[in-house]
Amino acid sequence: MTLRIYNTLTRRLEPFEPLEPPHVRMYVCGMTVYDLCHLGHARSMLAFDIVQRWLKASGYRVTYVRNVTDIDDKIIARALKNGETITSLTNRMIDALHQDADALGIERPTHEPRATEYVPQMLDIVRRLEDKGLAYRSPNGDVNYAVRKFPGYGKLSGKSLDDLRAGERVAVDDGKQDPLDFVLWKSAKPEEPAEAKWDSPYGSGRPGWHIECSAMSCEMLGESFDIHGGGADLQFPHHENEIAQSEGATGKPLARFWMHNGFVRVDNEKMSKSLGNFFTIREVLEKYDAETVRFFVLRAHYRSALNYSDVHLDDARGALKRLYTALAAVPAEEAASIDWRSPFAARFREAMDEDFGTPEAVAVLFELAAEVNRSKDARLAGLLKQLGGVLGLLQQDPVAYLQGGGAAGGPDVAQIEAQIAARAAAKAAKDYAEADRIRQALQAQGIVVKDGPAGTTWERA
């Protein structure tokens, strides 16, 4: 079966073939680093982590670029509010981003360019657009893109210029010829710090938000590449404007496939900092282990909305423990590579080849775990671990994971083991009342004790 990807640009599933097989070039819009990442950011990073993992598992060589926006109105405002430099703020937030992503098992992209490192390339695109009559200088010093002069505007979002104009509620900014035009280069303001200003043919200033991704993607992947991704909120206007800038400058299609992940929702509203209904990755990880959070996200298809609640995360934790329980009962015998001829592996591949269908792939893991429990087949346990590994799951020691429990708090392992030993001693002395008391005390602390032929084991409830 051939990999098929839903292409936002064409609004249909299409067979995927890279422009230069077997090399896949992928660009994903990253974070604006003025604050800690929330679960919505984690959802996007995890979605494209799975994309690049599956492409690699399918035999492709992947160059994955995920940018960092380190100059922006919000960044400037936050740095001034904190009384720190922009560089200090952004470096600190980038470090935090890496810590959070690493905790969730998100592999680092091949390249992670920062916007401030590519200002010359941005200015070159602005120059090319001005030469072609697609950009103009405003009296206030800004340089704007003339949207109506680009014939393909709206092809990604499906919005016509007339529809956009009819929905316009904002007065024309100073110097804009049309409300739909957007800024490519922002003239410096006197109150802005010096590190937010660059010299240019248009005077001192800084780049607009949209131009940075056009510059970095084209510089690192070429003027046309295979996949461009990001959150659904970026489809318009950010990605639409990227297309207008890049294709207006080069005359070539920017990306063949456009992919957009769905929102994380809280009480039927999109999780976002502007609405104040967000949970940072760190806040979530205080209550749930990282693999549970990863599993929670991957159980939903990347294009669907993901509803956040403790109930859903508790359910994900319980489900993940069932998979680990199968691996704890049957030590895995792993082959050198996945045997894709296995019926379980074949169904897993079929699911992933249909637009990275992680819900169906996860269902295969549960079918396989049930067969491991039934057959006690170490090779099938090995296959379960290998297929889980494709999704970044099931790579921890099963007993250690089950005893970790996926939750913060509770007695530590040494305390639990001491109580288990005391219970064993009570049983040996035929003091069954004391043994029962210790079991009940452990149960009250969320510890489940299991007696079996091989001895006593335990796990966190």
Side-chain angles (χ1 to χ4, degrees):
M1 183 175 176
T2 302
L3 171 62
R4 299 203 306 166
I5 299 177
Y6 183 83
N7 190 350
T8 311
L9 184 64
T10 61
R11 294 163 186 79
R12 63 174 182 265
L13 284 164
E14 295 182 349
F16 176 75
E17 182 71 19
L19 293 169
E20 298 174 354
H23 184 200
V24 177
R25 291 170 292 157
M26 179 171 76
Y27 183 91
V28 175
C29 291
M31 309 307 137
T32 300
V33 285
Y34 68 97
D35 205 345
L36 295 173
C37 292
H38 59 61
L39 196 60
H41 300 134
R43 206 276 169 92
S44 183
M45 288 191 288
L46 280 166
F48 292 100
D49 180 58
I50 290 298
V51 169
Q52 64 92 21
R53 282 174 181 261
W54 183 244
L55 290 170
K56 290 177 182 176
S58 301
Y60 293 110
R61 178 171 66 89
V62 180
T63 299
Y64 172 23
V65 179
R66 188 185 69 213
N67 79 296
V68 171
T69 297
D70 60 346
I71 185 65
D72 168 87
D73 289 344
K74 293 177 181 177
I75 292 172
I76 296 170
R78 181 63 59 87
L80 290 172
K81 179 181 178 182
N82 292 352
E84 65 181 319
T85 66
I86 290 172
T87 302
S88 170
L89 172 65
T90 56
N91 283 343
R92 188 159 51 82
M93 290 299 107
I94 290 169
D95 286 344
L97 161 66
H98 289 157
Q99 291 166 12
D100 292 345
D102 291 347
L104 293 172
I106 296 168
E107 294 180 347
R108 298 282 180 99
T110 316
H111 304 289
E112 193 176 51
R114 301 187 185 193
T116 53
E117 298 168 346
Y118 289 82
V119 173
Q121 290 87 342
M122 299 178 207
L123 286 168
D124 181 62
I125 294 177
V126 175
R127 177 192 58 77
R128 294 163 72 182
L129 292 171
E130 187 179 29
D131 290 345
K132 293 187 175 186
L134 291 170
Y136 60 91
R137 306 185 193 199
S138 301
N140 65 358
D142 291 350
V143 182
N144 296 315
Y145 189 97
V147 164
R148 291 187 181 274
K149 293 185 179 180
F150 180 70
Y153 197 83
K155 63 183 177 181
L156 180 67
S157 59
K159 300 177 184 289
S160 72
L161 290 176
D162 289 339
D163 290 341
L164 291 169
R165 187 65 185 90
E168 184 64 50
R169 294 289 184 270
V170 181
V172 178
D173 291 340
D174 289 343
K176 279 191 178 181
Q177 297 173 357
D178 189 288
L180 299 180
D181 295 348
F182 59 89
V183 66
L184 299 168
W185 184 259
K186 290 187 173 185
S187 177
K189 298 178 176 62
E191 66 273 16
E192 292 177 339
E195 61 178 330
K197 301 173 184 178
W198 283 262
D199 292 332
S200 82
Y202 314 104
S204 178
R206 58 187 171 89
W209 175 39
H210 310 298
I211 194 69
E212 66 178 64
C213 287
S214 289
M216 287 184 280
S217 63
C218 291
E219 177 72 14
M220 307 202 78
L221 297 175
E223 293 178 344
S224 294
F225 50 91
D226 298 299
I227 298 172
H228 195 312
D233 55 331
L234 299 180
Q235 183 178 344
F236 183 86
H238 183 54
H239 288 164
E240 194 75 71
N241 291 350
E242 274 190 67
I243 289 175
Q245 293 163 160
S246 302
E247 298 186 5
T250 69
K252 302 174 185 177
L254 178 58
R256 184 179 167 212
F257 283 84
W258 287 81
M259 298 178 64
H260 294 91
N261 64 272
F263 297 132
V264 176
R265 305 188 74 84
V266 180
D267 296 330
N268 294 316
E269 285 190 304
K270 172 197 165 190
M271 182 182 288
S272 71
K273 290 178 180 175
S274 61
L275 294 174
N277 66 346
F278 68 94
F279 299 90
T280 67
I281 295 172
R282 296 183 176 200
E283 288 172 331
V284 177
L285 292 180
E286 288 176 359
K287 296 180 66 175
Y288 298 93
D289 72 291
E291 192 167 352
T292 289
V293 177
R294 184 182 181 94
F295 184 69
F296 161 69
V297 173
L298 299 188
R299 284 207 301 180
H301 191 270
Y302 78 90
R303 285 193 286 118
S304 67
L306 180 65
N307 293 310
Y308 174 88
S309 73
D310 284 357
V311 171
H312 290 134
L313 275 159
D314 288 340
D315 181 68
R317 180 167 59 193
L320 182 59
K321 286 180 68 177
R322 292 198 297 274
L323 295 177
Y324 268 114
T325 299
L327 291 175
V330 182
E333 179 185 313
E334 293 185 58
S337 60
I338 296 173
D339 181 3
W340 294 107
R341 296 169 299 177
S342 159
F344 292 104
R347 290 203 299 278
F348 184 96
R349 178 185 281 278
E350 183 179 355
M352 293 300 291
D353 274 346
E354 189 70 357
D355 197 30
F356 310 97
T358 54
E360 295 80 9
V362 166
V364 173
L365 297 184
F366 281 100
E367 293 173 18
L368 185 50
E371 184 59 25
V372 168
N373 288 329
R374 187 194 67 78
S375 67
K376 309 301 180 187
D377 189 326
R379 288 174 298 176
L380 289 181
L383 181 60
L384 173 59
K385 183 177 179 181
Q386 285 179 306
L387 292 177
V390 173
L391 302 179
L393 301 170
L394 305 181
Q395 301 308 291
Q396 299 185 56
D397 175 83
V399 174
Y401 179 81
L402 292 170
Q403 293 182 349
D412 64 28
V413 172
Q415 293 172 323
I416 295 166
E417 296 285 6
Q419 292 179 75
I420 295 289
R423 177 175 177 267
K427 289 175 68 177
K430 301 188 184 307
D431 187 352
Y432 300 115
E434 174 63 8
D436 285 345
R437 185 197 67 77
I438 294 172
R439 176 193 280 273
Q440 291 168 7
L442 286 167
Q443 187 171 350
Q445 298 174 82
I447 307 303
V448 178
V449 178
K450 298 181 178 181
D451 295 318
T456 300
T457 61
W458 63 271
E459 63 184 62
R460 296 184 196 267

